[in-house]
């Protein structure tokens, strides 16, 4: 069975954050170390094959996605833990880094097999978007379906829990003070209450995890089919919503660069180091993130006028046009070859995204 293992590795506590040169070096070391391994011996001597890896380094460490073929979830997680432990141990400059998280996610193909095997009225929908909406909204289980979980009281309880969670997550969006969302704004039409700003901020943090996971699945689909978005027959979460003009250029390599761009951008949002959008790819990534946050708020019945205004204020502050038609209009973007090129010399560029595609005609 195929599993995706997410690993967070962090620099030692109390040490300075990595500068751009150190991040570039860390990317090379981690990627080279993982690329050199095709299989690893897991618990009880079971061989686990390493199928694919993605590395995104940020100022506080790195996020790894490791795709493995293993007989069981426990073997997948244990083997990747051993692999990363050994990589850090034998790499002198990374020896003091620590693993903060190592967890398994079901790969999309395996999830699809489970869906195909399901039957009856409680089976989840085949459509990925509908399934995500159902899970995000917290569909009732068969056990409590008859206990009124879908009734007014159950819905209200879920909404309260979602609101509390969003408000809790808001503190993690360190790059944007409440004023950016419109708290205490001079213009009454753009002013929002503090709680609305916090809901918007929390939704963005919540949406980050969802967006990263779903883009990773898009990468896997394109890699498995060895296809571009225009040619792909499998379901995609997000990449189909990029401008159609360049659909034949959106291959697995492009998708990897775009995923790393999303991770780098949202890391700067949460660690407080964000200053401005650095390239066209980041503008597109932010549009996706705002759309994901809006969808999340709608699903939990938390998207009122004030919260919508708070998200719009943030988009305006970052000079991002979220209008769907403008995003897809050919003149709204720089040429495809420039999407990952920094706007200015001081713009942040993740080392894994700076290489130009091998073939990217305008």
């Amino acid at each position: 069975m195929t599993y995706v293992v997410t690993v967070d590795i962090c620099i030692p506590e109390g040490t300075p954050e990595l500068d751009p040169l150190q991040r570039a070096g860390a990317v090379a070391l981690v990627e080279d170390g993982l690329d050199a391994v095709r299989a690893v011996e897991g618990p009880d001597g079971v061989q686990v094959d390493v199928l694919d890896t993605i590395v995104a380094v940020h100022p506080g460490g790195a996020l790894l996605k490791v795709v493995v073929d293993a007989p069981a979830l426990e073997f997948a997680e244990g083997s990747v833990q051993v692999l990363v432990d050994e990589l850090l141990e034998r790499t002198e400059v990374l020896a003091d880094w620590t693993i903060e998280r190592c967890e398994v996610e079901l790969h999309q193909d395996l999830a699809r097999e489970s869906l195909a095997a399901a039957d009856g009225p409680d089976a989840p929908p085949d459509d990925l978007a509908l399934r995500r909406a159902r899970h995000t909204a917290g569909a009732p289980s068969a056990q409590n379906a008859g206990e009124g979980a879908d009734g007014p009281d159950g819905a209200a309880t879920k909404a309260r829990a979602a609101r509390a969670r969003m408000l809790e997550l808001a503190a993690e969006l360190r790059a944007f003070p409440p004023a950016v969302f419109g708290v205490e704004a001079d213009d009454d039409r753009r002013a929002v209450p503090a709680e609305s700003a916090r809901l918007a901020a929390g939704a963005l943090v919540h949406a980050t995890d969802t967006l990263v996971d779903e883009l990773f699945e898009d990468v896997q689909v394109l890699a498995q089919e060895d296809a571009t978005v225009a040619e792909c027959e499998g379901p995609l979460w997000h990449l189909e919503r990029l401008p159609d003009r360049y659909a034949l250029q959106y291959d697995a390599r492009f998708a990897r660069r775009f995923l790393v761009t999303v991770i780098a951008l949202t890391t700067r949002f949460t660690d407080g180091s964000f200053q401005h959008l650095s390239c066209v790819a980041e503008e597109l990534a932010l549009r996706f993130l705002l759309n994901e946050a809006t969808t999340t708020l709608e699903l939990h019945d938390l998207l009122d006028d004030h919260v919508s205004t708070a998200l719009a204020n943030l988009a305006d502050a970052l000079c991002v046009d979220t209008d769907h038609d403008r995003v897809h209009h050919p003149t709204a973007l720089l040429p495809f070859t420039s999407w990952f090129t920094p706007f200015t010399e001081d713009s942040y560029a993740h080392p894994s995204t700076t290489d130009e595609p091998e073939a990217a005609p305008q």
Side-chain angles (χ1 to χ4, degrees):
M1 294 184 181
T2 305
Y3 298 92
V4 179
V5 185
T6 300
V7 186
D8 278 324
I9 55 177
C10 300
I11 61 177
E13 187 175 352
T15 59
E17 292 186 339
L18 304 176
D19 60 33
L21 183 60
Q22 290 172 321
R23 291 197 289 269
V27 166
L29 290 171
V30 176
E31 287 184 340
D32 289 348
L34 293 177
D35 288 346
V37 178
R38 290 291 173 265
V40 60
E41 185 174 308
D44 300 328
V46 175
Q47 177 173 304
V48 173
D49 294 327
V50 179
L51 306 179
D52 196 8
T53 59
I54 289 180
V55 179
V57 174
H58 53 82
L63 175 67
L64 318 179
K65 294 278 189 175
V66 185
V67 184
V68 296
D69 186 31
L73 182 149
E74 293 79 10
F75 292 111
E77 184 175 282
S79 298
V80 172
Q81 176 93 30
V82 169
L83 171 61
V84 178
D85 269 335
E86 291 182 353
L87 170 62
L88 297 180
E89 184 178 348
R90 69 171 181 263
T91 308
E92 183 177 354
V93 297
L94 304 177
D96 293 332
W97 289 35
T98 57
I99 298 176
E100 296 296 318
R101 175 172 66 116
C102 182
E103 62 184 23
V104 172
E105 304 166 11
L106 276 180
H107 188 270
Q108 183 173 220
D109 288 345
L110 188 58
R112 205 175 285 125
E113 289 177 12
S114 299
L115 288 171
D119 197 7
D122 293 326
D126 292 331
D127 182 81
L128 289 175
L130 292 176
R131 189 163 75 249
R132 178 182 62 177
R134 174 172 172 170
H135 290 325
T136 306
S141 65
Q143 176 180 339
N144 61 21
E147 298 176 3
D150 275 342
D153 291 342
T157 299
K158 292 174 188 175
R160 285 194 297 271
R163 175 182 289 273
R165 178 60 177 157
M166 299 300 168
L167 293 175
E168 178 184 357
L169 289 172
E172 297 183 19
L173 199 71
R174 298 179 178 88
F176 305 113
V180 176
F181 291 96
V183 176
E184 299 181 356
D186 295 334
D187 185 348
D188 290 340
R189 294 172 300 175
R190 310 295 291 178
V192 301
E195 183 167 298
S196 296
R198 291 174 60 202
L199 282 173
L204 287 166
V205 176
H206 183 278
T208 295
D209 286 340
T210 304
L211 181 60
V212 167
D213 287 343
E214 291 171 354
L215 282 172
F216 184 78
E217 289 192 16
D218 283 357
V219 172
Q220 292 303 112
V221 170
L222 293 176
Q224 288 167 1
E225 294 193 15
D226 190 22
T228 66
V229 167
E231 303 160 336
C232 184
E233 296 181 358
L236 296 170
W237 286 110
H238 297 283
L239 295 181
E240 288 180 319
R241 297 191 290 113
L242 288 170
D244 295 337
R245 183 183 187 185
Y246 303 116
L248 283 170
Q249 305 302 323
Y250 307 145
D251 56 9
R253 186 170 183 272
F254 164 84
R256 286 170 178 270
R257 298 172 79 197
F258 191 73
L259 171 60
V260 171
T261 296
V262 171
I263 294 172
L265 175 65
T266 54
T267 296
R268 282 149 52 215
F269 284 176
T270 55
D271 70 13
S273 63
F274 177 82
Q275 295 182 335
H276 55 79
L277 294 171
S278 296
C279 60
V280 170
E282 286 198 350
E283 290 185 345
L284 293 168
L286 180 57
R287 290 177 178 130
F288 279 6
L289 184 64
L290 289 167
N291 182 73
E292 193 73 40
T294 299
T295 300
T296 299
L297 290 162
E298 286 177 336
L299 288 171
H300 294 294
D301 198 25
L302 298 175
L303 189 68
D304 59 21
D305 290 343
H306 288 311
V307 179
S308 294
T309 300
L311 290 173
N313 287 340
L314 175 66
D316 289 346
L318 299 181
C319 300
V320 171
D321 187 345
T322 56
D323 182 80
H324 179 81
D325 293 332
R326 284 289 304 280
V327 172
H328 289 78
H329 195 280
T331 62
L333 299 169
L334 291 172
F336 179 79
T337 51
S338 301
W339 281 15
F340 296 96
T341 302
F343 290 140
T344 63
E345 290 185 359
D346 65 341
S347 295
Y348 176 81
H350 192 280
S352 296
T353 67
T354 53
D355 293 334
E356 290 295 329
E358 295 174 3
Q362 300 179 19

